[in-house]
Amino acid sequence: MLKLRFFLNEPNGKPCKHFKQMIPVLGQKYEIDIEVMSKPKSDYMTDEYFELDLPVAPAVMVDDEIVAEGSDVAQNAIEAAICRQLGLPPPKIEGKSFFNKLLKR
């Protein structure tokens, strides 16, 4: 089963709140195993943690692919990574910006 991992800072910052909102949506939409790691930022900076070769929070991984590290990321970017790993077509992006609509005429 595909593994989706969220790495969050304690106390939770803005990206972490955003990630926590998308977790249930992604879990309902795709057959994935979701793991959430939440710890103080200092715990991500230890030699022991770096030896694990995992990203520093806030971060998102889909299997071995780091989708975001040290910043927030849009849900559609995470979904695109999930679809790539599952061999599915990329998700359709809803609500395109005015500029993008002009270019697609």
Side-chain angles (χ1 to χ4, degrees):
M1 180 175 285
L2 187 68
K3 183 176 260 188
L4 174 61
R5 294 188 280 180
F6 289 87
F7 301 83
L8 309 177
N9 287 322
E10 292 176 357
N12 294 327
K14 184 179 175 183
C16 298
K17 290 177 185 171
H18 180 228
F19 291 157
K20 284 184 175 183
Q21 291 173 348
M22 69 175 78
I23 290 170
V25 174
L26 295 171
Q28 290 173 354
K29 199 168 184 181
Y30 301 98
E31 191 172 321
I32 53 176
D33 182 30
I34 298 175
E35 179 183 331
V36 178
M37 181 184 295
S38 184
K39 55 175 77 181
K41 187 172 184 142
S42 60
D43 288 2
Y44 290 106
M45 300 300 177
T46 64
D47 289 338
E48 294 82 14
Y49 184 79
F50 281 113
E51 288 176 10
L52 298 173
D53 202 27
L54 295 172
V56 177
V60 179
M61 284 183 77
V62 177
D63 267 353
D64 292 332
E65 177 184 350
I66 298 173
V67 180
E69 181 175 18
S71 66
D72 200 353
V73 64
Q75 182 173 326
N76 63 350
I78 296 171
E79 285 193 62
I82 291 170
C83 290
R84 270 193 309 278
Q85 296 285 337
L86 293 174
L88 300 171
K92 295 191 189 267
I93 299 173
E94 309 238 351
K96 291 186 178 184
S97 70
F98 178 73
F99 182 72
N100 285 342
K101 286 180 185 178
L102 282 176
L103 293 177
K104 296 284 182 181
R105 288 185 203 185

XYZ file of all heavy atoms in Angstrom:
835
model
N 0.844 -1.178 0.000
C 0.000 0.000 0.000
C 0.891 1.244 0.000
O 1.924 1.276 0.638
C -0.918 -0.010 1.217
C -1.827 1.202 1.259
S -3.029 1.212 2.587
C -4.183 0.034 1.993
N 0.465 2.247 -0.726
C 1.193 3.508 -0.834
C 1.193 4.225 0.510
O 0.178 4.295 1.189
C 0.526 4.391 -1.894
C 1.248 5.676 -2.259
C 2.548 5.366 -2.978
C 0.372 6.531 -3.135
N 2.357 4.761 0.903
C 2.481 5.445 2.183
C 2.627 6.948 1.965
O 3.486 7.402 1.209
C 3.673 4.919 2.959
C 3.799 5.555 4.339
C 4.925 4.963 5.122
C 4.317 3.969 6.066
N 5.290 3.446 7.022
N 1.767 7.703 2.617
C 1.801 9.165 2.605
C 2.203 9.592 4.006
O 1.560 9.220 4.981
C 0.431 9.731 2.236
C 0.231 11.231 2.308
C 1.167 11.968 1.363
C -1.204 11.590 1.994
N 3.318 10.343 4.113
C 3.808 10.760 5.430
C 3.861 12.269 5.550
O 4.382 12.956 4.670
C 5.191 10.168 5.681
C 5.143 8.662 5.790
C 6.447 8.091 6.232
N 7.354 8.010 5.093
C 8.589 7.546 5.167
N 9.086 7.163 6.314
N 9.335 7.480 4.096
N 3.315 12.752 6.648
C 3.347 14.171 6.986
C 4.280 14.336 8.175
O 4.184 13.606 9.158
C 1.948 14.669 7.372
C 0.998 14.759 6.228
C 0.240 13.659 5.848
C 0.843 15.938 5.521
C -0.648 13.728 4.789
C -0.039 16.018 4.456
C -0.784 14.916 4.092
N 5.197 15.295 8.083
C 6.125 15.615 9.157
C 5.761 17.006 9.652
O 5.884 17.980 8.907
C 7.571 15.588 8.644
C 7.968 14.248 8.080
C 7.658 13.902 6.770
C 8.638 13.332 8.868
C 8.006 12.675 6.245
C 9.006 12.092 8.351
C 8.685 11.759 7.047
N 5.306 17.099 10.891
C 4.794 18.356 11.426
C 5.637 18.834 12.600
O 6.224 18.030 13.326
C 3.345 18.177 11.885
C 2.385 17.547 10.879
C 1.012 17.372 11.502
C 2.296 18.375 9.617
N 5.658 20.155 12.788
C 6.328 20.769 13.933
C 5.336 20.933 15.071
O 4.156 21.181 14.840
C 6.851 22.161 13.573
C 8.043 22.125 12.667
O 8.902 21.275 12.797
N 8.101 23.055 11.744
N 5.829 20.828 16.300
C 5.045 21.180 17.481
C 5.654 22.452 18.034
O 6.872 22.539 18.132
C 5.129 20.081 18.536
C 4.444 18.812 18.140
C 4.628 17.716 19.180
O 5.334 17.926 20.192
O 4.087 16.635 18.974
N 4.957 23.438 18.476
C 3.510 23.561 18.267
C 3.220 23.780 16.786
O 4.063 24.270 16.044
C 3.121 24.778 19.098
C 4.366 25.606 19.197
C 5.523 24.625 19.121
N 2.057 23.397 16.401
C 1.699 23.414 14.976
C 1.661 24.825 14.409
O 1.028 25.708 14.958
C 0.340 22.751 14.766
C 0.401 21.283 15.090
O 1.416 20.640 14.878
N -0.670 20.751 15.621
N 2.336 24.988 13.283
C 2.331 26.256 12.564
C 1.316 26.229 11.443
O 0.569 25.265 11.275
N 1.293 27.265 10.622
C 0.324 27.388 9.535
C 0.374 26.210 8.555
O -0.663 25.643 8.231
C 0.535 28.719 8.813
C -0.471 28.983 7.733
C -0.235 30.319 7.066
C -1.189 30.499 5.909
N -0.938 31.738 5.191
N 1.566 25.811 8.056
C 1.577 24.669 7.130
C 1.015 23.402 7.770
O 0.320 22.627 7.134
C 3.052 24.477 6.783
C 3.685 25.789 7.048
C 2.907 26.388 8.187
N 1.294 23.209 9.056
C 0.820 22.003 9.732
C -0.701 21.980 9.809
O -1.326 20.931 9.622
C 1.424 21.909 11.119
S 3.224 21.772 11.071
N -1.303 23.108 10.078
C -2.772 23.173 10.122
C -3.350 22.866 8.748
O -4.349 22.177 8.621
C -3.223 24.551 10.622
C -2.923 24.765 12.082
C -3.303 26.153 12.541
C -2.869 26.329 13.984
N -3.005 27.684 14.459
N -2.702 23.373 7.715
C -3.142 23.115 6.342
C -3.034 21.623 6.031
O -3.943 21.026 5.460
C -2.292 23.946 5.376
C -2.653 23.771 3.949
N -1.713 23.533 2.987
C -3.844 23.779 3.303
C -2.313 23.398 1.816
N -3.595 23.546 1.989
N -1.926 21.008 6.412
C -1.742 19.578 6.186
C -2.803 18.775 6.930
O -3.362 17.824 6.393
C -0.355 19.112 6.626
C 0.777 19.615 5.777
C 2.054 19.679 6.282
C 0.580 20.010 4.454
C 3.118 20.135 5.508
C 1.631 20.455 3.669
C 2.909 20.518 4.203
N -3.084 19.145 8.171
C -4.063 18.403 8.965
C -5.462 18.474 8.353
O -6.247 17.545 8.497
C -4.093 18.918 10.405
C -2.916 18.430 11.210
C -3.010 18.858 12.642
C -1.883 18.253 13.452
N -1.980 18.599 14.863
N -5.765 19.553 7.649
C -7.059 19.670 6.978
C -7.150 18.757 5.771
O -8.208 18.233 5.456
C -7.320 21.116 6.550
C -7.559 22.053 7.701
C -7.639 23.502 7.252
O -7.306 23.844 6.122
N -8.077 24.364 8.156
N -6.060 18.530 5.075
C -6.120 17.711 3.861
C -5.985 16.214 4.135
O -6.342 15.407 3.293
C -5.104 18.186 2.827
C -3.672 17.976 3.150
S -2.563 18.451 1.793
C -2.518 20.215 1.924
N -5.497 15.815 5.294
C -5.291 14.401 5.590
C -6.571 13.585 5.432
O -6.571 12.575 4.718
C -4.649 14.209 6.983
C -3.197 14.687 6.942
C -4.724 12.757 7.451
C -2.522 14.779 8.294
N -7.694 13.977 6.042
C -8.907 13.160 5.880
C -9.400 13.102 4.430
O -9.867 12.066 3.969
C -9.947 13.838 6.774
C -9.229 14.821 7.602
C -7.900 15.079 6.967
N -9.267 14.200 3.706
C -9.720 14.253 2.314
C -8.922 13.275 1.459
O -9.490 12.503 0.679
C -9.579 15.697 1.755
C -9.900 15.743 0.272
C -10.465 16.657 2.529
N -7.610 13.279 1.615
C -6.760 12.383 0.836
C -6.998 10.921 1.219
O -6.984 10.038 0.368
C -5.287 12.752 1.012
C -4.887 14.118 0.458
C -3.470 14.478 0.889
C -5.017 14.146 -1.047
N -7.245 10.684 2.512
C -7.508 9.326 2.977
C -8.796 8.750 2.417
O -8.901 7.546 2.178
N -9.779 9.607 2.183
C -11.055 9.157 1.611
C -10.951 8.976 0.103
O -11.616 8.130 -0.468
C -12.160 10.166 1.925
C -12.549 10.200 3.381
C -13.523 11.335 3.681
O -13.818 12.158 2.833
N -14.009 11.367 4.913
N -10.105 9.768 -0.522
C -10.031 9.786 -1.981
C -9.148 8.682 -2.555
O -9.404 8.191 -3.647
C -9.509 11.162 -2.415
C -9.785 11.520 -3.837
C -9.494 12.989 -4.056
C -9.858 13.411 -5.439
N -9.565 14.809 -5.703
N -8.089 8.299 -1.836
C -7.122 7.329 -2.345
C -6.913 6.210 -1.329
O -7.017 6.419 -0.122
C -5.768 8.012 -2.621
C -5.859 9.127 -3.617
C -5.936 10.450 -3.214
C -5.884 8.864 -4.984
C -6.037 11.483 -4.141
C -5.974 9.885 -5.914
C -6.055 11.192 -5.481
O -6.153 12.215 -6.394
N -6.570 5.041 -1.842
C -6.254 3.918 -0.961
C -4.783 4.045 -0.576
O -3.882 3.577 -1.286
C -6.507 2.593 -1.686
C -6.443 1.423 -0.751
C -6.886 0.143 -1.427
O -7.847 0.178 -2.214
O -6.245 -0.884 -1.150
N -4.549 4.714 0.543
C -3.195 5.004 1.002
C -3.110 4.792 2.504
O -4.111 4.826 3.214
C -2.775 6.454 0.662
C -3.808 7.457 1.169
C -2.543 6.645 -0.817
C -3.456 8.913 0.967
N -1.908 4.586 2.964
C -1.611 4.503 4.390
C -1.032 5.858 4.779
O -0.032 6.297 4.192
C -0.613 3.378 4.639
C -0.279 3.196 6.106
O -1.147 3.488 6.960
O 0.843 2.758 6.397
N -1.655 6.526 5.742
C -1.206 7.863 6.140
C -0.540 7.789 7.501
O -1.083 7.219 8.443
C -2.382 8.862 6.181
C -2.999 8.992 4.787
C -1.915 10.220 6.700
C -4.242 9.847 4.730
N 0.649 8.373 7.576
C 1.409 8.425 8.822
C 1.703 9.897 9.120
O 2.104 10.649 8.221
C 2.716 7.654 8.659
C 3.607 7.655 9.867
C 4.914 6.940 9.591
O 4.952 6.027 8.747
O 5.914 7.318 10.222
N 1.504 10.300 10.368
C 1.781 11.672 10.774
C 2.823 11.647 11.886
O 2.636 10.978 12.900
C 0.502 12.391 11.259
C 0.821 13.800 11.727
C -0.555 12.414 10.169
N 3.915 12.363 11.661
C 4.960 12.496 12.666
C 4.937 13.947 13.133
O 5.075 14.861 12.318
C 6.329 12.158 12.072
C 7.460 12.253 13.075
S 9.083 11.968 12.327
C 8.937 10.265 11.841
N 4.735 14.150 14.422
C 4.675 15.501 14.970
C 5.589 15.575 16.188
O 5.424 14.822 17.144
C 3.232 15.833 15.356
O 3.131 17.157 15.793
N 6.571 16.460 16.112
C 7.517 16.608 17.211
C 8.074 18.024 17.197
O 7.940 18.740 16.200
C 8.628 15.563 17.123
C 9.370 15.537 15.808
C 10.540 14.575 15.794
C 10.080 13.163 15.648
N 11.171 12.190 15.656
N 8.721 18.443 18.267
C 9.329 19.778 18.289
C 10.394 19.912 17.206
O 11.072 18.940 16.857
C 9.965 19.852 19.682
C 9.255 18.834 20.498
C 8.857 17.749 19.547
N 10.546 21.120 16.701
C 11.501 21.375 15.620
C 12.907 20.918 15.986
O 13.640 20.389 15.151
C 11.487 22.859 15.265
C 12.305 23.188 14.054
C 12.129 24.618 13.603
C 12.906 24.829 12.332
N 12.248 25.679 11.405
N 13.287 21.079 17.227
C 14.631 20.687 17.656
C 14.874 19.187 17.481
O 16.006 18.764 17.236
C 14.868 21.091 19.116
O 13.914 20.451 19.953
N 13.835 18.375 17.595
C 13.990 16.924 17.410
C 14.337 16.566 15.962
O 14.929 15.519 15.707
C 12.718 16.182 17.816
C 12.510 16.154 19.321
O 13.330 16.744 20.062
O 11.512 15.556 19.767
N 13.937 17.412 15.027
C 14.257 17.173 13.616
C 15.702 17.556 13.284
O 16.185 17.264 12.199
C 13.321 17.964 12.701
C 11.894 17.479 12.690
C 10.889 18.188 13.327
C 11.540 16.308 12.026
C 9.573 17.751 13.300
C 10.231 15.856 11.999
C 9.252 16.582 12.647
O 7.955 16.139 12.620
N 16.364 18.239 14.204
C 17.711 18.745 13.951
C 18.806 17.908 14.607
O 19.958 18.314 14.625
C 17.827 20.193 14.448
C 16.864 21.133 13.779
S 17.162 21.135 12.012
C 15.890 22.204 11.450
N 18.473 16.746 15.112
C 19.468 15.916 15.785
C 20.226 15.053 14.773
O 19.736 14.785 13.679
C 18.805 14.994 16.820
O 17.939 14.078 16.137
C 18.028 15.801 17.852
N 21.399 14.610 15.169
C 22.187 13.711 14.316
C 21.436 12.409 14.070
O 21.468 11.865 12.959
C 23.541 13.401 14.960
C 24.474 14.594 14.957
O 24.270 15.506 14.119
O 25.403 14.631 15.792
N 20.746 11.923 15.091
C 19.994 10.676 14.957
C 18.901 10.806 13.899
O 18.677 9.881 13.114
C 19.364 10.259 16.298
C 20.362 9.884 17.365
C 20.947 11.083 18.100
O 20.409 12.211 17.995
O 21.977 10.896 18.790
N 18.221 11.961 13.874
C 17.163 12.162 12.882
C 17.755 12.251 11.474
O 17.224 11.664 10.535
C 16.327 13.402 13.199
C 15.170 13.550 12.233
C 14.018 12.792 12.402
C 15.239 14.394 11.132
C 12.963 12.879 11.507
C 14.200 14.490 10.237
C 13.067 13.734 10.428
O 12.023 13.816 9.532
N 18.864 12.962 11.315
C 19.485 13.097 9.995
C 19.948 11.744 9.450
O 19.931 11.518 8.250
C 20.638 14.099 10.022
C 20.179 15.533 9.990
C 20.371 16.360 11.085
C 19.529 16.051 8.885
C 19.940 17.676 11.058
C 19.092 17.367 8.850
C 19.294 18.176 9.944
N 20.333 10.843 10.338
C 20.738 9.506 9.909
C 19.576 8.720 9.300
O 19.796 7.793 8.526
C 21.325 8.728 11.090
C 22.687 9.233 11.495
C 23.233 8.541 12.724
O 22.656 7.530 13.178
O 24.250 9.019 13.253
N 18.329 9.090 9.643
C 17.153 8.419 9.085
C 16.905 8.814 7.634
O 16.101 8.194 6.946
C 15.913 8.736 9.925
C 15.947 8.279 11.383
C 14.723 8.806 12.123
C 16.035 6.767 11.458
N 17.562 9.899 7.166
C 17.411 10.400 5.800
C 15.964 10.768 5.482
O 15.441 10.449 4.411
C 17.950 9.382 4.786
C 18.301 10.027 3.465
O 18.616 11.236 3.452
O 18.232 9.341 2.428
N 15.329 11.428 6.440
C 13.945 11.898 6.281
C 13.952 13.413 6.204
O 14.882 14.070 6.678
C 13.086 11.429 7.461
C 12.887 9.924 7.579
C 12.183 9.588 8.896
C 12.102 9.378 6.399
N 12.901 14.012 5.628
C 12.865 15.475 5.505
C 12.609 16.165 6.837
O 12.097 15.567 7.778
C 11.697 15.709 4.542
C 10.812 14.527 4.738
C 11.725 13.381 5.032
N 12.994 17.435 6.888
C 12.773 18.264 8.062
C 11.398 18.918 7.939
O 11.034 19.422 6.877
C 13.884 19.328 8.184
C 13.629 20.253 9.350
C 15.242 18.662 8.313
N 10.652 18.903 9.020
C 9.287 19.431 9.035
C 9.267 20.944 8.854
O 10.228 21.614 9.214
C 8.610 19.066 10.342
N 8.184 21.436 8.304
C 7.040 20.719 7.757
C 7.411 20.074 6.419
O 8.120 20.666 5.615
C 5.968 21.789 7.577
C 6.733 23.056 7.378
C 7.998 22.897 8.189
N 6.937 18.864 6.240
C 7.270 18.137 5.019
C 6.203 17.096 4.712
O 5.434 16.707 5.579
C 8.622 17.460 5.167
N 6.203 16.664 3.440
C 5.293 15.614 2.986
C 6.090 14.676 2.094
O 6.840 15.122 1.231
C 4.101 16.192 2.185
C 3.184 15.076 1.707
C 3.327 17.202 3.000
N 5.908 13.365 2.318
C 6.528 12.349 1.462
C 5.443 11.405 0.957
O 4.534 11.049 1.693
C 7.549 11.509 2.238
C 8.853 12.194 2.507
S 10.033 11.096 3.350
C 10.570 10.063 1.989
N 5.565 11.021 -0.304
C 4.725 9.981 -0.884
C 5.692 8.857 -1.226
O 6.534 9.008 -2.105
C 3.970 10.476 -2.131
C 3.178 9.349 -2.752
C 3.055 11.641 -1.773
N 5.582 7.759 -0.489
C 6.571 6.677 -0.531
C 7.951 7.291 -0.310
O 8.172 7.900 0.729
C 6.469 5.856 -1.811
C 5.556 4.640 -1.627
O 5.118 4.378 -0.487
O 5.281 3.962 -2.608
N 8.881 7.197 -1.250
C 10.223 7.748 -1.056
C 10.403 9.134 -1.675
O 11.490 9.703 -1.614
C 11.267 6.804 -1.665
C 11.355 5.494 -0.900
O 11.061 5.495 0.308
O 11.696 4.471 -1.514
N 9.350 9.672 -2.275
C 9.423 10.986 -2.926
C 9.092 12.098 -1.947
O 8.017 12.115 -1.355
C 8.439 11.036 -4.100
C 8.397 12.370 -4.798
C 7.344 12.439 -5.898
O 6.754 11.410 -6.261
O 7.106 13.560 -6.400
N 10.012 13.037 -1.783
C 9.744 14.210 -0.950
C 8.997 15.215 -1.809
O 9.526 15.721 -2.795
C 11.049 14.824 -0.405
C 11.770 13.817 0.498
C 10.754 16.118 0.350
C 13.143 14.264 0.950
N 7.755 15.488 -1.434
C 6.909 16.415 -2.195
C 7.153 17.842 -1.721
O 7.146 18.772 -2.519
C 5.415 16.037 -2.060
C 4.533 16.987 -2.839
C 5.185 14.601 -2.506
N 7.368 18.022 -0.434
C 7.651 19.346 0.127
C 8.510 19.175 1.363
O 8.364 18.199 2.102
C 6.360 20.060 0.495
N 9.426 20.121 1.569
C 10.250 20.109 2.772
C 10.497 21.543 3.200
O 10.943 22.367 2.404
C 11.583 19.410 2.521
C 12.459 19.355 3.754
C 13.738 18.557 3.545
O 14.136 18.332 2.388
O 14.337 18.175 4.558
N 10.164 21.844 4.448
C 10.395 23.174 4.997
C 9.383 24.214 4.572
O 9.585 25.386 4.816
N 8.305 23.780 3.921
C 7.295 24.747 3.494
C 5.949 24.063 3.302
O 5.850 22.839 3.305
C 7.708 25.407 2.177
O 7.721 24.444 1.151
N 4.952 24.873 3.118
C 3.615 24.390 2.814
C 3.596 23.927 1.358
O 4.491 24.270 0.583
C 2.614 25.533 3.014
C 1.194 25.064 3.197
O 0.933 23.851 3.050
O 0.329 25.904 3.491
N 2.598 23.150 0.999
C 2.463 22.688 -0.378
C 0.973 22.536 -0.669
O 0.192 22.210 0.221
C 3.227 21.363 -0.609
C 2.662 20.247 0.216
C 3.264 21.000 -2.069
N 0.600 22.793 -1.895
C -0.802 22.682 -2.286
C -1.244 21.223 -2.324
O -0.454 20.326 -2.642
C -1.020 23.323 -3.658
N -2.499 20.996 -2.006
C -3.046 19.649 -2.018
C -2.916 19.007 -3.388
O -2.620 17.816 -3.498
C -4.512 19.668 -1.581
C -5.127 18.279 -1.528
C -6.507 18.295 -0.934
O -6.805 19.081 -0.043
N -7.374 17.424 -1.423
N -3.086 19.795 -4.458
C -3.003 19.197 -5.801
C -1.595 18.685 -6.109
O -1.421 17.735 -6.858
C -3.512 20.133 -6.888
C -2.708 21.395 -7.024
O -1.858 21.692 -6.201
N -2.975 22.151 -8.063
N -0.552 19.274 -5.520
C 0.811 18.769 -5.715
C 0.980 17.417 -5.018
O 1.617 16.505 -5.561
C 1.832 19.767 -5.182
N 0.389 17.277 -3.848
C 0.446 15.994 -3.138
C -0.354 14.951 -3.905
O 0.101 13.823 -4.094
C -0.080 16.144 -1.698
C 0.822 17.089 -0.908
C -0.174 14.781 -1.014
C 0.293 17.471 0.451
N -1.539 15.343 -4.384
C -2.361 14.413 -5.165
C -1.657 13.990 -6.447
O -1.735 12.825 -6.854
C -3.717 15.029 -5.493
C -4.643 15.063 -4.299
C -6.073 15.377 -4.704
O -6.659 14.594 -5.469
O -6.581 16.409 -4.242
N -0.961 14.905 -7.092
C -0.227 14.562 -8.317
C 0.849 13.516 -8.017
O 1.036 12.570 -8.784
C 0.393 15.809 -8.938
N 1.540 13.669 -6.883
C 2.558 12.688 -6.494
C 1.923 11.339 -6.180
O 2.457 10.292 -6.557
C 3.351 13.198 -5.294
N 0.773 11.355 -5.520
C 0.050 10.110 -5.220
C -0.335 9.417 -6.525
O -0.123 8.216 -6.692
C -1.198 10.389 -4.354
C -0.783 10.826 -2.945
C -2.103 9.159 -4.290
C -1.933 11.364 -2.097
N -0.890 10.174 -7.457
C -1.319 9.606 -8.742
C -0.143 9.035 -9.522
O -0.255 7.966 -10.120
C -2.065 10.655 -9.570
S -3.689 11.076 -8.889
N 1.007 9.730 -9.516
C 2.206 9.212 -10.192
C 2.600 7.856 -9.616
O 2.876 6.909 -10.347
C 3.386 10.174 -10.022
C 3.528 11.208 -11.075
C 4.876 11.909 -11.027
N 5.272 12.435 -9.724
C 4.862 13.601 -9.228
N 4.028 14.366 -9.910
N 5.285 14.005 -8.055
N 2.602 7.779 -8.290
C 3.009 6.538 -7.628
C 2.012 5.399 -7.882
O 2.397 4.244 -7.954
C 3.149 6.757 -6.116
C 4.235 7.717 -5.729
C 5.624 7.130 -5.854
O 5.802 5.924 -5.828
N 6.612 7.994 -6.005
N 0.721 5.743 -8.011
C -0.306 4.731 -8.220
C -0.546 4.431 -9.699
O -1.349 3.569 -10.034
C -1.634 5.175 -7.577
C -1.643 5.266 -6.051
C -2.963 5.847 -5.559
C -1.386 3.899 -5.424
N 0.131 5.176 -10.583
C -0.048 4.968 -12.013
C -1.382 5.495 -12.525
O -1.911 5.010 -13.518
N -1.915 6.499 -11.851
C -3.190 7.125 -12.238
C -2.924 8.420 -12.987
O -1.863 9.039 -12.816
C -4.024 7.427 -10.992
C -4.406 6.243 -10.108
C -5.046 6.737 -8.813
C -5.348 5.317 -10.845
N -3.886 8.886 -13.794
C -3.717 10.196 -14.427
C -3.716 11.291 -13.358
O -4.335 11.121 -12.307
C -4.932 10.320 -15.354
C -5.908 9.311 -14.874
C -5.147 8.248 -14.156
N -3.027 12.390 -13.623
C -2.984 13.463 -12.620
C -4.378 14.021 -12.359
O -5.239 14.006 -13.250
C -2.073 14.518 -13.242
C -1.990 14.182 -14.682
C -2.299 12.733 -14.836
N -4.609 14.517 -11.152
C -5.933 15.071 -10.824
C -6.180 16.354 -11.603
O -5.238 17.079 -11.954
C -5.838 15.336 -9.329
C -4.392 15.541 -9.073
C -3.674 14.655 -10.054
N -7.434 16.606 -11.877
C -7.803 17.864 -12.534
C -7.759 18.971 -11.496
O -8.210 18.806 -10.375
C -9.201 17.762 -13.128
C -9.277 16.747 -14.244
C -10.595 16.867 -14.978
C -10.742 15.725 -15.941
N -10.301 15.988 -17.257
N -7.190 20.091 -11.902
C -7.082 21.236 -10.997
C -8.345 22.064 -11.132
O -8.687 22.520 -12.221
C -5.840 22.083 -11.313
C -4.581 21.233 -11.135
C -5.785 23.307 -10.412
C -3.320 21.918 -11.592
N -9.003 22.226 -10.004
C -10.247 22.995 -9.985
C -9.938 24.449 -9.649
O -8.981 24.744 -8.948
C -11.188 22.410 -8.942
C -11.354 20.928 -9.105
C -12.780 20.520 -9.310
O -13.656 21.365 -9.150
O -12.993 19.357 -9.636
N -10.750 25.345 -10.161
C -10.618 26.756 -9.831
C -9.333 27.383 -10.329
O -8.630 27.999 -9.567
N -9.046 27.249 -11.599
C -7.824 27.830 -12.152
C -7.875 29.350 -12.057
O -8.931 29.956 -12.078
C -7.649 27.416 -13.614
C -7.346 25.953 -13.777
C -7.039 25.635 -15.211
C -6.691 24.174 -15.343
N -6.299 23.826 -16.681
N -6.710 29.932 -11.999
C -6.628 31.379 -11.890
C -7.058 32.043 -13.196
O -7.085 31.424 -14.257
C -5.198 31.809 -11.557
O -4.362 31.585 -12.674
N -7.388 33.304 -13.111
C -7.803 34.079 -14.267
C -6.717 34.052 -15.344
O -6.998 33.866 -16.524
C -8.110 35.519 -13.846
C -8.494 36.405 -14.996
C -9.736 36.278 -15.597
C -7.614 37.348 -15.487
C -10.085 37.086 -16.670
C -7.949 38.148 -16.560
C -9.192 38.028 -17.139
N -5.449 34.195 -14.932
C -4.338 34.194 -15.877
C -4.260 32.872 -16.623
O -4.087 32.835 -17.841
C -3.026 34.478 -15.121
C -1.833 34.543 -16.029
C -1.654 35.624 -16.888
C -0.897 33.545 -16.027
C -0.543 35.679 -17.718
C 0.214 33.586 -16.842
C 0.377 34.662 -17.715
N -4.393 31.754 -15.897
C -4.336 30.438 -16.542
C -5.492 30.246 -17.517
O -5.331 29.635 -18.559
C -4.340 29.322 -15.499
C -3.009 29.181 -14.808
O -2.006 29.666 -15.305
N -3.006 28.556 -13.669
N -6.661 30.757 -17.191
C -7.825 30.643 -18.069
C -7.588 31.415 -19.361
O -7.981 30.956 -20.433
C -9.084 31.169 -17.364
C -9.590 30.226 -16.294
C -10.825 30.787 -15.623
C -11.256 29.901 -14.487
N -12.407 30.437 -13.791
N -6.928 32.557 -19.287
C -6.625 33.336 -20.482
C -5.684 32.593 -21.399
O -5.839 32.631 -22.627
C -5.982 34.682 -20.101
C -6.923 35.753 -19.599
C -6.117 36.986 -19.174
C -7.922 36.145 -20.657
N -4.719 31.907 -20.832
C -3.749 31.181 -21.638
C -4.347 29.932 -22.296
O -3.873 29.492 -23.324
C -2.554 30.760 -20.790
C -1.685 31.916 -20.283
C -0.580 31.375 -19.385
C -1.074 32.684 -21.432
N -5.393 29.368 -21.727
C -5.985 28.124 -22.231
C -7.110 28.356 -23.247
O -7.586 27.450 -23.824
C -6.545 27.306 -21.051
C -5.514 26.836 -20.082
C -4.756 25.694 -20.635
C -3.759 25.209 -19.610
N -2.972 24.136 -20.032
N -7.565 29.549 -23.420
C -8.683 29.929 -24.300
C -9.263 28.765 -24.953
O -9.545 28.179 -25.759
C -8.264 30.949 -25.319
C -8.048 32.273 -24.666
C -7.746 33.282 -25.707
N -7.019 34.347 -25.059
C -6.686 35.419 -25.655
N -6.963 35.609 -26.906
N -6.051 36.343 -25.028
